């Protein structure tokens, strides 16, 4: 419902204040602007780190892959858009990887 409200406001050229997040594919379809809020308005959520020093030192190629893996907000939005269109996360990732072999090659360069 929020996405539809954002789309409707964008199409009508009307302002709409909403709490939304990045990365999200909707940013590529609408003209959204970020409103900076004071720090006390941001939720306090713990950060779970899965790639740590122990993992890097003991897990070889998987650790190298994770160390070398990065993707842009735009790339994340492309996968999210595929999921929003009905693909499973795995199918969306597979399609994205097929369409971007050069990026996948960058990540796999260190691991083989």
């Amino acid at each position: 419902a929020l996405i539809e409200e954002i789309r409707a406001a964008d199409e009508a050229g009307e302002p709409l204040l909403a709490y939304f997040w990045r990365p999200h594919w909707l940013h590529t379809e609408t003209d959204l602007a970020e409103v900076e809020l004071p720090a006390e308005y941001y939720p306090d959520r713990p950060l779970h780190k899965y790639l740590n020093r122990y993992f890097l030192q003991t897990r070889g190629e998987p650790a190298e892959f994770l160390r070398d893996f990065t993707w842009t907000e735009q790339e994340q939005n492309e996968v999210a858009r595929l999921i929003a269109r009905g693909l499973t996360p795995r199918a969306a990732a597979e399609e994205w990887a097929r369409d971007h072999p050069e990026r996948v090659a960058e990540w796999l360069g260190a691991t083989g």
Side-chain angles (χ1 to χ4, degrees):
L2 177 58
I3 290 172
E4 293 308 315
E5 288 293 324
I6 292 171
R7 280 182 170 153
D10 184 62
E11 289 173 11
E14 297 175 353
L16 174 71
L17 182 61
Y19 185 79
F20 211 65
W21 61 93
R22 291 184 93 129
H24 194 282
W25 55 266
L26 188 61
H27 290 273
T28 64
E29 293 183 1
T30 57
D31 186 21
L32 301 177
E34 184 174 352
V35 176
E36 291 290 330
L37 298 174
E40 62 265 17
Y41 289 99
Y42 290 100
D44 185 18
R45 301 230 169 115
L47 177 62
H48 299 284
K49 295 182 180 180
Y50 297 100
L51 181 60
N52 57 38
R53 184 180 306 175
Y54 175 78
F55 189 89
L56 283 172
Q57 292 173 347
T58 63
R59 297 299 187 248
E61 288 182 356
E64 290 177 30
F65 171 80
L66 290 175
R67 186 193 62 225
D68 295 338
F69 177 85
T70 61
W71 62 343
T72 67
E73 184 176 314
Q74 178 183 345
E75 291 167 335
Q76 293 175 59
N77 284 338
E78 291 173 19
V79 174
R81 178 184 306 286
L82 294 171
I83 294 169
R85 291 184 177 161
L87 272 66
T88 66
R90 181 183 186 109
E94 289 172 349
E95 183 173 321
W96 188 91
R98 272 194 308 275
D99 292 345
H100 299 84
E102 72 290 344
R103 288 291 283 142
V104 175
E106 288 175 26
W107 302 327
L108 297 176
T111 61

